[in-house]
Amino acid sequence: MRVLLFNGSPKKDKSDVMCVTRAFLEGMNSVQDNIVTKIDVIDKKIGYCKGCFSCKKNGGDCVIKDDMRDILTEILASDLLLFSFPLYCYSFPAPLKALLDRTMPLSSMAMKKAGDRYEHVAQADFSRLKYVMICGCGFPNAKRNFEPAVEQFKLSFPNNHTIITVPESPMFNAPEAAVVTVPRLELIKQAGAEYAKTGEIPVALMSEISSPMIPEDVYAKICNGEN
């Protein structure tokens, strides 16, 4: 499987969420051979979409000449798009949001009804593509935090999507937290293996991964510098 990994964190490989993503990929790789191409979005020259719709009218050619041209080619050659990013203001970090905006050339001006909503008709066949979102936040739990990003991801990729949300994610880069992070990363590896086998992650396993690693009040006190 050809996996295109978008690392949306400005911290690149030092990202807390990338600890989770690497474990997920390790689990996938334990089941099948994958070719993983990682793009650190912060390093790419990606201009803001102008909203001119030229790309939708001329067969997908964007008027902005930057790194998105090659990225769109990579997307079309992939089987799985894996988005790894920290939660910023309840959504995507700005560089990753700019990248998503610039995928406009993949669809046309024509619209079609899909269920009870309308969407643009694609200019290519994406039926084989799968989508995974791995998002972490620094809050003690997932309540009323991830919902905007999750809903946007579902609307952007309505088919074949899998979403993993992880609270307390800064703990993954804290060596003193290994007693709880190492077992959690093992669960995430298991999730990666299950995904590679079946294309899905069992509900119980997903729930465990998305739960706090330590009690919420204890985590909050640590973050607040309280003894």
Side-chain angles (χ1 to χ4, degrees):
M1 177 181 287
R2 293 180 62 89
V3 180
L4 183 58
L5 165 58
F6 293 111
N7 179 9
S9 173
K11 296 179 181 178
K12 298 192 283 189
D13 282 341
K14 294 181 180 179
S15 163
D16 303 322
V17 186
M18 275 300 295
C19 296
V20 177
T21 301
R22 283 190 289 267
F24 185 81
L25 285 171
E26 186 176 340
M28 286 188 63
N29 291 336
S30 70
V31 173
Q32 63 185 26
D33 293 329
N34 300 290
I35 301 172
V36 180
T37 301
K38 179 168 73 72
I39 292 178
D40 291 313
V41 181
I42 193 69
D43 287 340
K44 296 298 181 179
K45 184 179 179 182
I46 301 174
Y48 298 126
C49 178
K50 297 177 181 293
C52 65
F53 298 120
S54 294
C55 62
K56 294 186 179 296
K57 300 172 183 176
N58 64 13
D61 187 28
C62 181
V63 299
I64 305 172
K65 308 306 178 186
D66 58 13
D67 290 336
M68 270 308 296
R69 184 180 293 270
D70 290 337
I71 291 172
L72 291 174
T73 299
E74 289 276 6
I75 288 174
L76 293 174
S78 300
D79 302 303
L80 169 64
L81 304 186
L82 173 52
F83 296 84
S84 172
F85 61 95
L87 193 68
Y88 274 29
C89 292
Y90 309 102
S91 186
F92 306 99
L96 183 58
K97 180 58 169 64
L99 184 150
L100 287 169
D101 290 346
R102 292 286 306 286
T103 60
M104 290 272 280
L106 299 177
S107 61
S108 66
M109 285 297 293
M111 300 179 189
K112 65 178 181 180
K113 195 168 187 179
D116 59 356
R117 73 181 190 122
Y118 285 84
E119 59 186 27
H120 287 288
V121 176
Q123 297 201 70
D125 181 11
F126 305 113
S127 59
R128 76 183 187 288
L129 268 175
K130 297 180 179 180
Y131 311 90
V132 172
M133 165 181 153
I134 299 179
C135 181
C137 77
F139 290 121
N141 62 41
K143 298 172 183 175
R144 296 181 62 81
N145 293 320
F146 291 109
E147 289 88 345
V150 167
E151 188 62 24
Q152 184 171 347
F153 194 82
K154 287 180 177 179
L155 289 170
S156 298
F157 309 109
N159 301 309
N160 303 324
H161 60 251
T162 298
I163 298 171
I164 299 172
T165 57
V166 185
E168 302 180 345
S169 61
M171 293 179 66
F172 289 107
N173 267 325
E176 61 272 25
V179 65
V180 292
T181 58
V182 170
R184 185 58 55 94
L185 290 173
E186 287 301 318
L187 291 178
I188 294 163
K189 290 178 188 176
Q190 182 181 341
E194 289 291 335
Y195 182 81
K197 291 176 185 175
T198 67
E200 298 179 350
I201 301 173
V203 174
L205 179 57
M206 186 77 85
S207 178
E208 194 168 0
I209 288 172
S210 298
S211 67
M213 289 177 278
I214 62 175
E216 298 173 16
D217 59 335
V218 173
Y219 176 85
K221 288 181 179 179
I222 293 172
C223 291
N224 293 338
E226 301 175 16
N227 294 326

PDB file of all heavy atoms in Angstrom, residues 151-181:
ATOM      1  N   GLU A 151     -15.607  16.698  12.383  1.00  0.00           N
ATOM      2  CA  GLU A 151     -16.699  16.938  11.441  1.00  0.00           C
ATOM      3  C   GLU A 151     -16.163  17.446  10.104  1.00  0.00           C
ATOM      4  O   GLU A 151     -16.638  17.040   9.036  1.00  0.00           O
ATOM      5  CB  GLU A 151     -17.692  17.941  12.026  1.00  0.00           C
ATOM      6  CG  GLU A 151     -18.955  18.102  11.213  1.00  0.00           C
ATOM      7  CD  GLU A 151     -19.768  16.818  11.092  1.00  0.00           C
ATOM      8  OE1 GLU A 151     -19.630  15.930  11.961  1.00  0.00           O
ATOM      9  OE2 GLU A 151     -20.533  16.695  10.114  1.00  0.00           O
ATOM     10  N   GLN A 152     -15.158  18.331  10.158  1.00  0.00           N
ATOM     11  CA  GLN A 152     -14.583  18.835   8.909  1.00  0.00           C
ATOM     12  C   GLN A 152     -13.922  17.712   8.123  1.00  0.00           C
ATOM     13  O   GLN A 152     -14.031  17.651   6.892  1.00  0.00           O
ATOM     14  CB  GLN A 152     -13.567  19.943   9.194  1.00  0.00           C
ATOM     15  CG  GLN A 152     -13.012  20.580   7.939  1.00  0.00           C
ATOM     16  CD  GLN A 152     -12.172  21.808   8.228  1.00  0.00           C
ATOM     17  OE1 GLN A 152     -12.173  22.333   9.324  1.00  0.00           O
ATOM     18  NE2 GLN A 152     -11.444  22.277   7.228  1.00  0.00           N
ATOM     19  N   PHE A 153     -13.226  16.810   8.828  1.00  0.00           N
ATOM     20  CA  PHE A 153     -12.580  15.700   8.147  1.00  0.00           C
ATOM     21  C   PHE A 153     -13.611  14.781   7.502  1.00  0.00           C
ATOM     22  O   PHE A 153     -13.437  14.333   6.368  1.00  0.00           O
ATOM     23  CB  PHE A 153     -11.713  14.918   9.141  1.00  0.00           C
ATOM     24  CG  PHE A 153     -10.744  13.973   8.499  1.00  0.00           C
ATOM     25  CD1 PHE A 153      -9.531  14.423   8.012  1.00  0.00           C
ATOM     26  CD2 PHE A 153     -11.033  12.615   8.377  1.00  0.00           C
ATOM     27  CE1 PHE A 153      -8.629  13.554   7.409  1.00  0.00           C
ATOM     28  CE2 PHE A 153     -10.145  11.739   7.775  1.00  0.00           C
ATOM     29  CZ  PHE A 153      -8.939  12.212   7.299  1.00  0.00           C
ATOM     30  N   LYS A 154     -14.695  14.516   8.208  1.00  0.00           N
ATOM     31  CA  LYS A 154     -15.747  13.652   7.664  1.00  0.00           C
ATOM     32  C   LYS A 154     -16.387  14.267   6.424  1.00  0.00           C
ATOM     33  O   LYS A 154     -16.707  13.563   5.460  1.00  0.00           O
ATOM     34  CB  LYS A 154     -16.820  13.400   8.729  1.00  0.00           C
ATOM     35  CG  LYS A 154     -16.394  12.465   9.841  1.00  0.00           C
ATOM     36  CD  LYS A 154     -17.519  12.286  10.840  1.00  0.00           C
ATOM     37  CE  LYS A 154     -17.161  11.295  11.933  1.00  0.00           C
ATOM     38  NZ  LYS A 154     -18.266  11.142  12.925  1.00  0.00           N
ATOM     39  N   LEU A 155     -16.597  15.585   6.457  1.00  0.00           N
ATOM     40  CA  LEU A 155     -17.207  16.250   5.309  1.00  0.00           C
ATOM     41  C   LEU A 155     -16.237  16.310   4.127  1.00  0.00           C
ATOM     42  O   LEU A 155     -16.651  16.204   2.969  1.00  0.00           O
ATOM     43  CB  LEU A 155     -17.653  17.660   5.693  1.00  0.00           C
ATOM     44  CG  LEU A 155     -18.864  17.743   6.628  1.00  0.00           C
ATOM     45  CD1 LEU A 155     -19.057  19.166   7.128  1.00  0.00           C
ATOM     46  CD2 LEU A 155     -20.121  17.240   5.934  1.00  0.00           C
ATOM     47  N   SER A 156     -14.951  16.477   4.430  1.00  0.00           N
ATOM     48  CA  SER A 156     -13.946  16.537   3.364  1.00  0.00           C
ATOM     49  C   SER A 156     -13.735  15.176   2.719  1.00  0.00           C
ATOM     50  O   SER A 156     -13.517  15.074   1.509  1.00  0.00           O
ATOM     51  CB  SER A 156     -12.618  17.059   3.923  1.00  0.00           C
ATOM     52  OG  SER A 156     -12.745  18.367   4.432  1.00  0.00           O
ATOM     53  N   PHE A 157     -13.794  14.128   3.555  1.00  0.00           N
ATOM     54  CA  PHE A 157     -13.555  12.764   3.077  1.00  0.00           C
ATOM     55  C   PHE A 157     -14.692  11.867   3.575  1.00  0.00           C
ATOM     56  O   PHE A 157     -14.526  11.120   4.543  1.00  0.00           O
ATOM     57  CB  PHE A 157     -12.201  12.255   3.574  1.00  0.00           C
ATOM     58  CG  PHE A 157     -11.064  13.199   3.290  1.00  0.00           C
ATOM     59  CD1 PHE A 157     -10.452  13.905   4.320  1.00  0.00           C
ATOM     60  CD2 PHE A 157     -10.612  13.397   1.997  1.00  0.00           C
ATOM     61  CE1 PHE A 157      -9.410  14.779   4.068  1.00  0.00           C
ATOM     62  CE2 PHE A 157      -9.565  14.267   1.733  1.00  0.00           C
ATOM     63  CZ  PHE A 157      -8.964  14.972   2.766  1.00  0.00           C
ATOM     64  N   PRO A 158     -15.856  11.953   2.938  1.00  0.00           N
ATOM     65  CA  PRO A 158     -17.040  11.263   3.460  1.00  0.00           C
ATOM     66  C   PRO A 158     -16.990   9.745   3.378  1.00  0.00           C
ATOM     67  O   PRO A 158     -17.753   9.063   4.057  1.00  0.00           O
ATOM     68  CB  PRO A 158     -18.173  11.819   2.592  1.00  0.00           C
ATOM     69  CG  PRO A 158     -17.516  12.301   1.345  1.00  0.00           C
ATOM     70  CD  PRO A 158     -16.163  12.772   1.749  1.00  0.00           C
ATOM     71  N   ASN A 159     -16.072   9.210   2.564  1.00  0.00           N
ATOM     72  CA  ASN A 159     -16.005   7.751   2.403  1.00  0.00           C
ATOM     73  C   ASN A 159     -14.650   7.223   2.864  1.00  0.00           C
ATOM     74  O   ASN A 159     -13.624   7.884   2.739  1.00  0.00           O
ATOM     75  CB  ASN A 159     -16.222   7.377   0.932  1.00  0.00           C
ATOM     76  CG  ASN A 159     -17.553   7.867   0.401  1.00  0.00           C
ATOM     77  OD1 ASN A 159     -18.596   7.618   1.008  1.00  0.00           O
ATOM     78  ND2 ASN A 159     -17.533   8.554  -0.726  1.00  0.00           N
ATOM     79  N   ASN A 160     -14.670   6.022   3.394  1.00  0.00           N
ATOM     80  CA  ASN A 160     -13.432   5.296   3.737  1.00  0.00           C
ATOM     81  C   ASN A 160     -12.536   6.055   4.711  1.00  0.00           C
ATOM     82  O   ASN A 160     -11.313   6.047   4.593  1.00  0.00           O
ATOM     83  CB  ASN A 160     -12.631   4.978   2.463  1.00  0.00           C
ATOM     84  CG  ASN A 160     -13.414   4.176   1.461  1.00  0.00           C
ATOM     85  OD1 ASN A 160     -14.209   3.317   1.828  1.00  0.00           O
ATOM     86  ND2 ASN A 160     -13.209   4.459   0.181  1.00  0.00           N
ATOM     87  N   HIS A 161     -13.135   6.729   5.693  1.00  0.00           N
ATOM     88  CA  HIS A 161     -12.317   7.466   6.650  1.00  0.00           C
ATOM     89  C   HIS A 161     -12.278   6.768   8.011  1.00  0.00           C
ATOM     90  O   HIS A 161     -13.247   6.117   8.419  1.00  0.00           O
ATOM     91  CB  HIS A 161     -12.814   8.906   6.824  1.00  0.00           C
ATOM     92  CG  HIS A 161     -14.220   9.013   7.329  1.00  0.00           C
ATOM     93  ND1 HIS A 161     -15.261   9.434   6.546  1.00  0.00           N
ATOM     94  CD2 HIS A 161     -14.755   8.748   8.544  1.00  0.00           C
ATOM     95  CE1 HIS A 161     -16.379   9.431   7.246  1.00  0.00           C
ATOM     96  NE2 HIS A 161     -16.097   9.013   8.462  1.00  0.00           N
ATOM     97  N   THR A 162     -11.159   6.930   8.684  1.00  0.00           N
ATOM     98  CA  THR A 162     -10.956   6.428  10.040  1.00  0.00           C
ATOM     99  C   THR A 162     -10.339   7.557  10.850  1.00  0.00           C
ATOM    100  O   THR A 162      -9.387   8.200  10.399  1.00  0.00           O
ATOM    101  CB  THR A 162     -10.028   5.204  10.049  1.00  0.00           C
ATOM    102  OG1 THR A 162     -10.635   4.147   9.290  1.00  0.00           O
ATOM    103  CG2 THR A 162      -9.772   4.718  11.467  1.00  0.00           C
ATOM    104  N   ILE A 163     -10.879   7.808  12.055  1.00  0.00           N
ATOM    105  CA  ILE A 163     -10.458   8.955  12.840  1.00  0.00           C
ATOM    106  C   ILE A 163     -10.034   8.516  14.236  1.00  0.00           C
ATOM    107  O   ILE A 163     -10.795   7.857  14.947  1.00  0.00           O
ATOM    108  CB  ILE A 163     -11.594   9.999  12.930  1.00  0.00           C
ATOM    109  CG1 ILE A 163     -11.929  10.522  11.527  1.00  0.00           C
ATOM    110  CG2 ILE A 163     -11.214  11.142  13.858  1.00  0.00           C
ATOM    111  CD1 ILE A 163     -13.165  11.398  11.474  1.00  0.00           C
ATOM    112  N   ILE A 164      -8.811   8.881  14.604  1.00  0.00           N
ATOM    113  CA  ILE A 164      -8.270   8.574  15.925  1.00  0.00           C
ATOM    114  C   ILE A 164      -7.971   9.889  16.630  1.00  0.00           C
ATOM    115  O   ILE A 164      -7.236  10.731  16.113  1.00  0.00           O
ATOM    116  CB  ILE A 164      -6.976   7.741  15.825  1.00  0.00           C
ATOM    117  CG1 ILE A 164      -7.260   6.402  15.117  1.00  0.00           C
ATOM    118  CG2 ILE A 164      -6.368   7.507  17.202  1.00  0.00           C
ATOM    119  CD1 ILE A 164      -5.994   5.610  14.815  1.00  0.00           C
ATOM    120  N   THR A 165      -8.548  10.089  17.808  1.00  0.00           N
ATOM    121  CA  THR A 165      -8.286  11.291  18.600  1.00  0.00           C
ATOM    122  C   THR A 165      -7.669  10.882  19.934  1.00  0.00           C
ATOM    123  O   THR A 165      -8.127   9.924  20.565  1.00  0.00           O
ATOM    124  CB  THR A 165      -9.568  12.099  18.835  1.00  0.00           C
ATOM    125  OG1 THR A 165     -10.550  11.269  19.470  1.00  0.00           O
ATOM    126  CG2 THR A 165     -10.127  12.612  17.509  1.00  0.00           C
ATOM    127  N   VAL A 166      -6.643  11.625  20.339  1.00  0.00           N
ATOM    128  CA  VAL A 166      -5.879  11.243  21.528  1.00  0.00           C
ATOM    129  C   VAL A 166      -5.678  12.454  22.444  1.00  0.00           C
ATOM    130  O   VAL A 166      -4.920  13.369  22.096  1.00  0.00           O
ATOM    131  CB  VAL A 166      -4.507  10.663  21.147  1.00  0.00           C
ATOM    132  CG1 VAL A 166      -3.776  10.162  22.383  1.00  0.00           C
ATOM    133  CG2 VAL A 166      -4.654   9.533  20.130  1.00  0.00           C
ATOM    134  N   PRO A 167      -6.334  12.484  23.614  1.00  0.00           N
ATOM    135  CA  PRO A 167      -6.074  13.563  24.563  1.00  0.00           C
ATOM    136  C   PRO A 167      -4.763  13.319  25.315  1.00  0.00           C
ATOM    137  O   PRO A 167      -4.164  12.249  25.198  1.00  0.00           O
ATOM    138  CB  PRO A 167      -7.276  13.481  25.509  1.00  0.00           C
ATOM    139  CG  PRO A 167      -7.650  12.025  25.493  1.00  0.00           C
ATOM    140  CD  PRO A 167      -7.354  11.542  24.092  1.00  0.00           C
ATOM    141  N   GLU A 168      -4.327  14.319  26.064  1.00  0.00           N
ATOM    142  CA  GLU A 168      -3.090  14.207  26.863  1.00  0.00           C
ATOM    143  C   GLU A 168      -1.870  13.851  26.013  1.00  0.00           C
ATOM    144  O   GLU A 168      -0.916  13.247  26.503  1.00  0.00           O
ATOM    145  CB  GLU A 168      -3.269  13.166  27.984  1.00  0.00           C
ATOM    146  CG  GLU A 168      -4.407  13.471  28.931  1.00  0.00           C
ATOM    147  CD  GLU A 168      -4.568  12.436  30.041  1.00  0.00           C
ATOM    148  OE1 GLU A 168      -3.986  11.330  29.924  1.00  0.00           O
ATOM    149  OE2 GLU A 168      -5.276  12.717  31.002  1.00  0.00           O
ATOM    150  N   SER A 169      -1.892  14.240  24.736  1.00  0.00           N
ATOM    151  CA  SER A 169      -0.826  13.791  23.832  1.00  0.00           C
ATOM    152  C   SER A 169       0.574  14.311  24.170  1.00  0.00           C
ATOM    153  O   SER A 169       1.555  13.653  23.799  1.00  0.00           O
ATOM    154  CB  SER A 169      -1.177  14.137  22.382  1.00  0.00           C
ATOM    155  OG  SER A 169      -1.313  15.530  22.199  1.00  0.00           O
ATOM    156  N   PRO A 170       0.755  15.450  24.877  1.00  0.00           N
ATOM    157  CA  PRO A 170       2.118  15.852  25.232  1.00  0.00           C
ATOM    158  C   PRO A 170       2.857  14.830  26.087  1.00  0.00           C
ATOM    159  O   PRO A 170       4.093  14.841  26.144  1.00  0.00           O
ATOM    160  CB  PRO A 170       1.905  17.164  26.002  1.00  0.00           C
ATOM    161  CG  PRO A 170       0.654  17.731  25.431  1.00  0.00           C
ATOM    162  CD  PRO A 170      -0.215  16.525  25.182  1.00  0.00           C
ATOM    163  N   MET A 171       2.130  13.922  26.713  1.00  0.00           N
ATOM    164  CA  MET A 171       2.772  12.907  27.548  1.00  0.00           C
ATOM    165  C   MET A 171       3.648  11.964  26.734  1.00  0.00           C
ATOM    166  O   MET A 171       4.593  11.373  27.271  1.00  0.00           O
ATOM    167  CB  MET A 171       1.704  12.112  28.311  1.00  0.00           C
ATOM    168  CG  MET A 171       0.956  12.933  29.352  1.00  0.00           C
ATOM    169  SD  MET A 171      -0.315  11.975  30.211  1.00  0.00           S
ATOM    170  CE  MET A 171       0.692  10.790  31.087  1.00  0.00           C
ATOM    171  N   PHE A 172       3.352  11.819  25.432  1.00  0.00           N
ATOM    172  CA  PHE A 172       4.122  10.873  24.620  1.00  0.00           C
ATOM    173  C   PHE A 172       5.575  11.297  24.451  1.00  0.00           C
ATOM    174  O   PHE A 172       6.425  10.474  24.152  1.00  0.00           O
ATOM    175  CB  PHE A 172       3.462  10.690  23.250  1.00  0.00           C
ATOM    176  CG  PHE A 172       2.172   9.938  23.304  1.00  0.00           C
ATOM    177  CD1 PHE A 172       0.955  10.599  23.123  1.00  0.00           C
ATOM    178  CD2 PHE A 172       2.155   8.577  23.566  1.00  0.00           C
ATOM    179  CE1 PHE A 172      -0.242   9.908  23.186  1.00  0.00           C
ATOM    180  CE2 PHE A 172       0.953   7.879  23.633  1.00  0.00           C
ATOM    181  CZ  PHE A 172      -0.241   8.551  23.442  1.00  0.00           C
ATOM    182  N   ASN A 173       5.866  12.575  24.640  1.00  0.00           N
ATOM    183  CA  ASN A 173       7.246  13.054  24.558  1.00  0.00           C
ATOM    184  C   ASN A 173       7.853  13.310  25.937  1.00  0.00           C
ATOM    185  O   ASN A 173       8.918  13.923  26.039  1.00  0.00           O
ATOM    186  CB  ASN A 173       7.320  14.337  23.716  1.00  0.00           C
ATOM    187  CG  ASN A 173       7.619  14.040  22.252  1.00  0.00           C
ATOM    188  OD1 ASN A 173       8.354  13.105  21.936  1.00  0.00           O
ATOM    189  ND2 ASN A 173       7.042  14.819  21.350  1.00  0.00           N
ATOM    190  N   ALA A 174       7.193  12.809  26.981  1.00  0.00           N
ATOM    191  CA  ALA A 174       7.689  12.969  28.345  1.00  0.00           C
ATOM    192  C   ALA A 174       8.211  11.625  28.843  1.00  0.00           C
ATOM    193  O   ALA A 174       7.411  10.728  29.128  1.00  0.00           O
ATOM    194  CB  ALA A 174       6.583  13.488  29.258  1.00  0.00           C
ATOM    195  N   PRO A 175       9.534  11.433  28.933  1.00  0.00           N
ATOM    196  CA  PRO A 175      10.087  10.138  29.357  1.00  0.00           C
ATOM    197  C   PRO A 175       9.533   9.650  30.685  1.00  0.00           C
ATOM    198  O   PRO A 175       9.339   8.441  30.887  1.00  0.00           O
ATOM    199  CB  PRO A 175      11.589  10.424  29.459  1.00  0.00           C
ATOM    200  CG  PRO A 175      11.827  11.564  28.521  1.00  0.00           C
ATOM    201  CD  PRO A 175      10.588  12.409  28.612  1.00  0.00           C
ATOM    202  N   GLU A 176       9.238  10.581  31.617  1.00  0.00           N
ATOM    203  CA  GLU A 176       8.740  10.180  32.925  1.00  0.00           C
ATOM    204  C   GLU A 176       7.328   9.609  32.871  1.00  0.00           C
ATOM    205  O   GLU A 176       6.849   9.012  33.857  1.00  0.00           O
ATOM    206  CB  GLU A 176       8.779  11.367  33.900  1.00  0.00           C
ATOM    207  CG  GLU A 176       7.925  12.557  33.491  1.00  0.00           C
ATOM    208  CD  GLU A 176       8.645  13.549  32.600  1.00  0.00           C
ATOM    209  OE1 GLU A 176       9.612  13.152  31.897  1.00  0.00           O
ATOM    210  OE2 GLU A 176       8.240  14.722  32.594  1.00  0.00           O
ATOM    211  N   ALA A 177       6.659   9.751  31.716  1.00  0.00           N
ATOM    212  CA  ALA A 177       5.301   9.227  31.570  1.00  0.00           C
ATOM    213  C   ALA A 177       5.273   7.868  30.884  1.00  0.00           C
ATOM    214  O   ALA A 177       4.200   7.354  30.563  1.00  0.00           O
ATOM    215  CB  ALA A 177       4.449  10.219  30.782  1.00  0.00           C
ATOM    216  N   ALA A 178       6.437   7.268  30.693  1.00  0.00           N
ATOM    217  CA  ALA A 178       6.526   6.013  29.941  1.00  0.00           C
ATOM    218  C   ALA A 178       5.669   4.901  30.526  1.00  0.00           C
ATOM    219  O   ALA A 178       5.187   4.029  29.796  1.00  0.00           O
ATOM    220  CB  ALA A 178       7.984   5.548  29.854  1.00  0.00           C
ATOM    221  N   VAL A 179       5.449   4.937  31.830  1.00  0.00           N
ATOM    222  CA  VAL A 179       4.667   3.875  32.464  1.00  0.00           C
ATOM    223  C   VAL A 179       3.248   3.810  31.904  1.00  0.00           C
ATOM    224  O   VAL A 179       2.625   2.738  31.887  1.00  0.00           O
ATOM    225  CB  VAL A 179       4.638   4.076  34.006  1.00  0.00           C
ATOM    226  CG1 VAL A 179       3.894   5.354  34.381  1.00  0.00           C
ATOM    227  CG2 VAL A 179       4.022   2.870  34.696  1.00  0.00           C
ATOM    228  N   VAL A 180       2.736   4.944  31.402  1.00  0.00           N
ATOM    229  CA  VAL A 180       1.398   4.925  30.805  1.00  0.00           C
ATOM    230  C   VAL A 180       1.436   5.081  29.283  1.00  0.00           C
ATOM    231  O   VAL A 180       0.540   4.587  28.585  1.00  0.00           O
ATOM    232  CB  VAL A 180       0.487   6.020  31.415  1.00  0.00           C
ATOM    233  CG1 VAL A 180       0.170   5.693  32.863  1.00  0.00           C
ATOM    234  CG2 VAL A 180       1.112   7.402  31.289  1.00  0.00           C
ATOM    235  N   THR A 181       2.453   5.760  28.761  1.00  0.00           N
ATOM    236  CA  THR A 181       2.485   5.976  27.314  1.00  0.00           C
ATOM    237  C   THR A 181       2.912   4.735  26.543  1.00  0.00           C
ATOM    238  O   THR A 181       2.408   4.483  25.442  1.00  0.00           O
ATOM    239  CB  THR A 181       3.410   7.144  26.944  1.00  0.00           C
ATOM    240  OG1 THR A 181       4.734   6.886  27.433  1.00  0.00           O
ATOM    241  CG2 THR A 181       2.894   8.457  27.539  1.00  0.00           C
TER     242      THR A 181
END
